[in-house]
Amino acid sequence: MKEKVLVIIPAYNEEKSLAAVCAEIRGHLPQSTILVVSDGSEDNTAQVARSQGVQLLDLPVNLGVGGAMRAGYLYARRHDFDWAVQVDADGQHDARNIPAMIRKATEDGLDLVIGSRFAQETGYDVHGPRKWAMKVLSKTLSHICKTKLTDTTSGFKLASKPLIALFATDFPAEYLGDTLESLVIASRSGAKIAEVPVKMRKRMGGTPSHNPYQSAKYLFRAVFALAIAVTRKTHRTIHE
């Protein structure tokens, strides 16, 4: 592959899984560059990244996924990458899907490709308020983005070079901004968006970001986050 691909791994206290995630990415995308953004980690995440010989941004404080990803996109823009892929550090995302995401983006002229857990039957399911919220969000954002979206909170995404330039300065850092609002920003900037089906795996280590109590609040917070996203001003066009 002649185009430059950056795989961004936002990581907060993911020392147990990070080495395996980096090794898997190398195996499937040997010519890519891996960037770990240690988001104020309090464990050995940064040390593990250094031991793997990957690029590292060791943030002194925890900014959340949105802040970590904005730092990653800024790195991608400054180093002139053609594609940036967001991959979780917990091992749930399968690096074997990344070549297919790049291929679809290239063939269809896309700016944002989302790895969807629900685009086809994979056995992955969610329950309770999170499930209701995801259905509402998918329907709403499909309308906004003018394309069918089934997994609007997926953290497995591929961004094109024009979108990297936008996200380097305008990627939202608020709660769910890295998923919901980033889709609104991309759509309003003229980005072409689509999904590819992926299969999620169990976490290799660490602690899930949502416990049962947090899940009970998910519906209200997600709808509130989306309401903020759609009322903000339109961003610049990425294709001029």
Side-chain angles (χ1 to χ4, degrees):
M1 183 182 296
K2 295 181 180 180
E3 293 181 304
K4 295 174 61 179
V5 178
L6 178 69
V7 181
I8 306 171
I9 309 176
Y12 177 65
N13 294 344
E14 297 286 3
E15 62 178 8
K16 294 181 180 180
S17 57
L18 185 58
V21 170
C22 291
E24 183 180 69
I25 294 169
R26 281 199 195 95
H28 295 291
L29 284 92
Q31 295 179 329
S32 68
T33 299
I34 301 173
L35 172 68
V36 172
V37 184
S38 179
D39 187 23
S41 296
E42 299 173 346
D43 65 354
N44 293 318
T45 294
Q47 292 91 319
V48 172
R50 292 189 182 97
S51 73
Q52 292 299 303
V54 301
Q55 300 300 307
L56 171 67
L57 295 179
D58 191 6
L59 306 183
V61 295
N62 180 257
L63 299 180
V65 178
M69 284 304 302
R70 183 186 290 193
Y73 284 122
L74 182 58
Y75 181 98
R77 188 188 69 180
R78 287 180 173 176
H79 291 82
D80 198 34
F81 281 91
D82 299 295
W83 302 100
V85 188
Q86 178 182 348
V87 174
D88 283 354
D90 59 14
Q92 288 188 298
H93 298 156
D94 192 335
R96 288 178 292 185
N97 292 299
I98 298 176
M101 294 168 75
I102 296 173
R103 185 164 55 250
K104 182 171 180 62
T106 302
E107 292 175 353
D108 296 351
L110 302 172
D111 296 292
L112 183 63
V113 176
I114 303 167
S116 171
R117 298 162 284 186
F118 312 116
Q120 66 182 26
E121 187 61 43
T122 61
Y124 186 89
D125 197 13
V126 292
H127 305 280
R130 286 177 64 84
K131 184 173 183 177
W132 307 332
M134 285 181 174
K135 288 186 175 181
V136 172
L137 295 172
S138 294
K139 185 173 182 179
T140 303
L141 283 164
S142 293
H143 175 72
I144 292 172
C145 298
K146 297 180 176 59
T147 187
K148 183 178 180 181
L149 299 176
T150 62
D151 194 357
T152 56
T153 60
S154 172
F156 195 10
K157 296 194 288 287
L158 169 75
S160 69
K161 192 171 189 175
L163 199 55
I164 289 171
L166 177 68
F167 281 169
T169 57
D170 294 346
F171 199 79
E174 297 84 358
Y175 177 78
L176 289 176
D178 61 295
T179 53
L180 305 182
E181 189 171 356
S182 67
L183 290 176
V184 175
I185 290 173
S187 177
R188 289 182 172 177
S189 73
K192 292 184 64 178
I193 304 170
E195 292 182 334
V196 296
V198 299
K199 188 172 182 179
M200 291 283 284
R201 302 178 299 200
K202 293 182 179 180
R203 293 177 60 94
M204 294 181 183
T207 304
S209 58
H210 294 285
N211 59 37
Y213 172 71
Q214 290 172 323
S215 294
K217 300 185 296 182
Y218 187 86
L219 177 59
F220 171 78
R221 297 180 70 179
V223 172
F224 182 71
L226 181 58
I228 293 176
V230 298
T231 56
R232 289 188 177 177
K233 67 179 182 178
T234 302
H235 293 258
R236 65 181 183 272
T237 302
I238 60 173
H239 298 293
E240 297 179 347

